[in-house]
Amino acid sequence: MNSPPVPLPAEHIPPGTADWRTPDAERWLAAVPARWAHPLWAVLALIVSMVWYIAESPLAPCTSAEPCGTDWPGLGMTVVLVLTPYWVWRQPRLALAGLAAGLVGFAEDGGFTESFGEPYALAYPVAAAFTTAGIVHRLALAGRQRALALEAAGPVARPLPAAALTFRRGRFSFALAALLLAVAGFGSWQAQQVADAYEERAAGATHLSGLVVAQEQDDDGIDILKVEADERTHRFETDFPESFPLDSQVDIVVDGDWAALAAEPYDAFGWELLVLGAAAAALAFFANGVDGRTRSARLRRRPLPVLRVLVREGHEDGRTWVFAADDPEALRPILHFHSLLAIDEDENEDEKGNEGEQGNEGEKGNESDDGEADAVHLTKVRQILTGDDPPPPLREAVLYGAPYAGAEVALAARADADEPEVLVECSVTAVKAAVPGVLTRAPKGRQRKSERRSVEEVAATMTPGPGLRVWQAHGLARAVGLCLLVVQGGGIWATIDDGPSWVWLCLPVALSWMISAVATTLTWRITADRDGLWVTGAWRVRRVEWDAITAVRHHEDGIRIGTGTGTGTGTGKGHDNVDLAPTGWAWLERRLGREPYAVRAADELRALHLDPELRPAEEAPTARQGMPAGPPLVALSVLWGAAVLLLL
């Protein structure tokens, strides 16, 4: 039985606020884009078509008349092409502009002329058309969702709470954009320095015509061109050896011992790559900052539609999930987004002033209350850090703004039942409908991931008996462990094959982590007997008495047994928690339609902890307590390393 939602005080609910009920929410959820319009397909189509075109289209040869130097217009077009797939996912309106610019560049490059006879040239226009159709479809349905939300909210419109009026977005994005833009400017300045240095030296050098006598590769795989000119043989590194066939004439520039190909005068590729990456990232952050600032300003500009809803913060990812007002069991999420707390700065200053005026009145009387409050807060912080905190509660809330895919919203709600103050949160990511994604199952599956089954529900599937209960590494966990073992062996081989280096200093740390993960996934085991649990990890077997257990949960592909007082006994001293990780791959098991084995094990352990009647009556003998595999794996790794040294 779920606890009732945390109520919202009536004075914080604007008069006339309508409930967002399940029928209206289902109509809103039905107005989602078709699966073919998911950004993933468009992004894949664009990337594949661009890579295909670059790989297959003939390159213009480098000549003395048109040398291969720095092409700033082409680099700018490349920045747009790199950003367009990202914008398709995050900024669909900007993606339309990027697609238009990409098609203009494609036409100037002769792509449309080639596309009539070459499939690789036809692929990009087709991918761009498919992407445009998907974006238009998504934007149209976002408008439909907005209309449905306005219809559900009715004619009532209210201004944002005071705290949300001071909330600003985009500062961090603008700061990163400025930093990356400075990096791009530095890279372009360095590239121009390389070009200017060549031009300055070439102006006073001798221009000769030489004969290509040989083409070869050095030990690093770099193509070398041998050219005879003026009774001397010159060697030049080249990126395009096919442009200089044997016995052909090439122009070179010679100044003493320095020489360069006139067709490939200098190499500024590294600096150009820096400019490309920094400029693309800077433009992406700048666009995100402008979009966030514009949306938040639009939210504050005029009174907004309001809806009464239920909200819950995701226990795993921190997202805010919104449910219909008549869904107290939180069975069907409607939408989700990430949000941050908005603080009214003026109210904060008034509170500080009032505290200053009060001085030390009642200080002694409040010391004990403050101490108790601090203890409560410290307990909550400790639970959060150790992962033993309960799932966040379902809360009543007022949603400000018309929600639709990509929208900006705000909400007012209490943090939990112990906090009487109503807080205002503003979205910092776009609103997304809670529907199955391309690579995900239904939203109920996601909800089950973060919610625990009740003890009664788990106990109903367990048959009481005197025998021991054992949970141990299953088939998928062992498969994961074997894959990690192969990766470990390959890493040892690659590290030793490269010869002695500073990387060897990191090998013990990396190996200890890898061996621990491999040993756990291959041989983890939990045995429940009359008095408690025997927990077999990578390096030892720990004893945890039933009375010492405070909580059991599945956490990040591992099982965490909280003890709180550190009373676990066994081969080592007690700790606050006993962790087994990784115990498999829960994500893959869910994708395969199975309940993760480690999740089921954690649920059954919790049931044994809370219901003593389900516990075994026997005491586990030594042979049934498990054996850690970490020490044998250390010996195996050492032997493998020695074998690699002997083989090399």
Side-chain angles (χ1 to χ4, degrees):
M1 180 71 68
N2 292 336
S3 57
V6 177
L8 181 66
E11 60 270 19
H12 290 276
I13 303 174
T17 301
D19 291 348
W20 199 4
R21 298 192 173 275
T22 299
D24 295 328
E26 289 179 347
R27 291 172 59 205
W28 188 92
L29 281 170
V32 295
R35 292 211 169 210
W36 67 266
H38 194 281
L40 176 63
W41 309 129
V43 169
L44 289 176
L46 287 175
I47 292 176
V48 170
S49 62
M50 286 191 293
V51 171
W52 191 13
Y53 181 77
I54 292 172
E56 296 294 334
S57 60
L59 295 174
C62 301
T63 64
S64 301
E66 296 183 2
C68 293
T70 303
D71 181 15
W72 295 118
L75 190 64
M77 180 58 65
T78 305
V79 169
V80 174
L81 292 176
V82 169
L83 279 175
T84 299
Y86 170 75
W87 281 339
V88 168
W89 200 288
R90 292 291 302 272
Q91 307 283 354
R93 289 181 174 83
L94 275 179
L96 292 175
L99 288 170
L103 289 174
V104 170
F106 184 76
E108 290 183 352
D109 197 39
F112 285 110
T113 303
E114 298 175 3
S115 62
F116 289 105
E118 299 292 343
Y120 69 83
L122 184 61
Y124 182 75
V126 171
F130 172 74
T131 303
T132 302
I135 291 175
V136 172
H137 177 68
R138 289 161 57 195
L139 293 177
L141 287 179
R144 171 65 177 159
Q145 285 182 328
R146 184 177 186 277
L148 290 172
L150 290 174
E151 182 181 339
V156 177
R158 301 296 177 191
L160 277 177
L165 296 176
T166 60
F167 188 80
R168 295 291 184 270
R169 283 190 59 192
R171 296 174 183 172
F172 184 68
S173 294
F174 287 142
L176 281 178
L179 177 62
L180 290 166
L181 192 60
V183 173
F186 174 76
S188 62
W189 175 69
Q190 287 290 340
Q192 194 60 45
Q193 289 288 101
V194 173
D196 292 343
Y198 167 78
E199 295 293 342
E200 181 179 353
R201 190 158 191 178
T206 303
H207 293 256
L208 301 173
S209 178
L211 181 69
V212 178
V213 296
Q215 290 182 353
E216 58 186 33
Q217 285 188 340
D218 62 10
D219 295 337
D220 297 326
I222 299 175
D223 291 297
I224 303 296
L225 203 66
K226 286 187 177 182
V227 178
E228 285 188 358
D230 197 22
E231 299 181 352
R232 292 180 59 187
T233 300
H234 302 274
R235 294 167 56 89
F236 303 99
E237 294 183 3
T238 177
D239 294 324
F240 306 101
E242 63 276 5
S243 299
F244 310 101
L246 290 176
D247 299 327
S248 62
Q249 293 289 327
V250 296
D251 295 326
I252 64 174
V253 182
V254 180
D255 182 16
D257 294 333
W258 174 83
L261 286 171
E264 295 183 29
Y266 54 86
D267 181 13
F269 178 74
W271 295 116
E272 291 173 337
L273 193 61
L274 176 65
V275 173
L276 172 64
L283 191 54
F285 279 113
F286 180 76
N288 288 344
V290 170
D291 181 69
R293 181 64 58 90
T294 303
R295 289 179 183 274
S296 61
R298 191 183 303 137
L299 203 63
R300 300 189 302 268
R301 191 173 300 158
R302 60 177 65 91
L304 302 168
V306 286
L307 288 166
R308 289 187 64 180
V309 295
L310 299 175
V311 299
R312 168 179 283 158
E313 184 179 346
H315 201 220
E316 301 291 337
D317 53 16
R319 294 178 183 175
T320 299
W321 295 83
V322 177
F323 302 84
D326 58 350
D327 185 13
E329 299 294 325
L331 299 176
R332 183 67 173 93
I334 307 172
L335 55 91
H336 60 86
F337 52 86
H338 284 93
S339 61
L340 287 178
L341 188 65
I343 301 175
D344 188 350
E345 297 177 359
D346 295 334
E347 183 179 340
N348 232 11
E349 292 177 0
D350 293 341
E351 289 179 358
K352 290 180 180 178
N354 292 336
E355 289 176 2
E357 291 176 3
Q358 290 176 1
N360 295 325
E361 293 179 5
E363 183 177 347
K364 294 182 179 179
N366 292 333
E367 282 181 358
S368 60
D369 294 340
D370 291 343
E372 292 178 2
D374 290 342
V376 171
H377 286 303
L378 287 174
T379 301
K380 289 183 177 181
V381 170
R382 179 186 174 280
Q383 289 176 339
I384 292 173
L385 292 177
T386 58
D388 296 330
D389 57 313
L394 191 66
R395 303 172 288 159
E396 293 182 357
V398 173
L399 195 67
Y400 289 83
Y404 58 90
E408 196 95 2
V409 294
L411 63 90
R414 292 167 59 190
D416 54 49
D418 298 329
E419 295 288 344
E421 183 182 1
V422 174
L423 305 176
V424 178
E425 301 174 31
C426 294
S427 61
V428 292
T429 59
V431 167
K432 292 183 180 180
V435 294
V438 175
L439 302 176
T440 58
R441 299 172 66 86
K444 289 183 179 179
R446 185 188 296 128
Q447 180 185 5
R448 173 63 69 186
K449 179 181 176 180
S450 60
E451 291 187 354
R452 299 172 179 172
R453 292 186 295 172
S454 65
V455 175
E456 293 78 8
E457 183 181 354
V458 176
T461 64
M462 301 174 64
T463 304
L468 302 175
R469 292 187 180 272
V470 178
W471 301 265
Q472 59 188 351
H474 56 300
L476 184 60
R478 292 193 176 100
V480 172
L482 290 174
C483 290
L484 292 176
L485 186 61
V486 172
V487 171
Q488 174 188 324
I492 293 174
W493 183 295
T495 303
I496 295 177
D497 187 34
D498 289 340
S501 68
W502 64 269
V503 178
W504 285 28
L505 299 177
C506 304
L507 194 59
V509 177
L511 273 181
S512 63
W513 178 86
M514 183 65 77
I515 291 173
S516 179
V518 171
T520 303
T521 51
L522 287 176
T523 62
W524 72 267
R525 179 187 179 100
I526 300 177
T527 302
D529 66 5
R530 178 186 60 196
D531 300 320
L533 302 176
W534 293 98
V535 183
T536 304
W539 305 103
R540 59 176 177 167
V541 179
R542 292 192 58 183
R543 179 62 165 169
V544 185
E545 306 290 341
W546 289 118
D547 294 340
I549 298 175
T550 59
V552 182
R553 62 176 301 214
H554 181 265
H555 179 71
E556 295 182 355
D557 277 327
I559 297 175
R560 171 168 290 178
I561 302 171
T563 60
T565 56
T567 55
T569 60
T571 60
K573 297 179 180 179
H575 295 279
D576 287 342
N577 293 304
V578 180
D579 286 316
L580 279 179
T583 53
W585 194 359
W587 180 88
L588 181 58
E589 290 183 80
R590 289 191 177 95
R591 298 289 78 75
L592 296 175
R594 305 172 184 172
E595 181 186 9
Y597 178 80
V599 173
R600 185 168 71 251
D603 288 342
E604 293 178 355
L605 285 168
R606 190 182 310 110
L608 292 180
H609 167 232
L610 297 176
D611 189 353
E613 294 182 0
L614 295 174
R615 299 173 187 171
E618 297 180 5
E619 184 176 353
T622 304
R624 300 287 302 276
Q625 295 171 8
M627 179 176 295
L633 278 176
V634 171
L636 180 63
S637 300
V638 172
L639 291 174
W640 172 246
V644 171
L645 283 174
L646 293 174
L647 291 172
L648 294 178

